Amino acid sequence: MLLAIVLALAVGVPLLVRARRRRTWRDNLASAEDEVAWFARVLIPQLRQQTSPAEAAGGWNVAESRVIAAEDSLTALESSAPDEATATRARTLRDAVRTARADIQNLLASSTPATMPQNLDAVATQLEQTLAPPPPTD
């Protein structure tokens, strides 16, 4: 009887720990996805409402650290992912955030009030496409 309990614990505890780690990782990925969604759905529209690239740059300077934190979080998630598919998801999101961040920096330096809205819309569209759930794996 005691041997059965010890054996059950020896097998069960590692499985429970592993399941908990996976759940925590998935929760962290969901939080990172929420930050990417905020970037695309809240921050970019706020920047778009500004009347000049200089005003948008001011808003960007305030919010950029949050975008960088999301990028860093996704980098950490990629390296701690429980499998290749989830690592790919984290990496894809991270790369999209990194690209969008660079695109915004470039367009704030080179856009005009006339071109800024469409340029920001293009960045938001790219992020939204990346946020779409990945296709199911067979």
Side-chain angles (χ1 to χ4, degrees):
M1 176 71 165
L2 184 59
L3 181 60
I5 292 172
V6 170
L7 183 60
L9 286 173
V11 171
V13 170
L15 290 176
L16 289 173
V17 169
R18 183 174 160 194
R20 185 173 180 192
R21 280 188 199 141
R22 283 180 179 263
R23 186 173 49 253
T24 299
W25 190 93
R26 283 191 310 268
D27 291 347
N28 290 338
L29 179 64
S31 293
E33 287 174 332
D34 288 346
E35 286 298 289
V36 177
W38 167 83
F39 185 14
R41 299 172 189 158
V42 176
L43 178 58
I44 292 175
Q46 287 175 350
L47 297 176
R48 194 180 190 285
Q49 291 176 350
Q50 304 308 309
T51 58
S52 72
E55 289 177 7
W60 174 249
N61 288 336
V62 170
E64 184 180 20
S65 62
R66 184 171 171 183
V67 174
I68 291 169
E71 186 179 326
D72 292 345
S73 174
L74 288 161
T75 298
L77 286 167
E78 178 191 6
S79 67
S80 65
D83 55 56
E84 187 55 38
T86 55
T88 299
R89 175 69 174 158
R91 181 175 44 255
T92 300
L93 286 167
R94 190 256 343 261
D95 290 350
V97 169
R98 184 175 288 162
T99 298
R101 187 166 61 88
D103 288 348
I104 286 181
Q105 289 169 336
N106 289 334
L107 75 86
L108 289 175
S110 64
S111 287
T112 66
T115 61
M116 187 177 67
Q118 66 206 31
N119 292 339
L120 287 168
D121 287 347
V123 174
T125 298
Q126 288 295 92
L127 286 171
E128 287 292 349
Q129 289 172 346
T130 305
L131 277 168
T137 57
D138 293 331

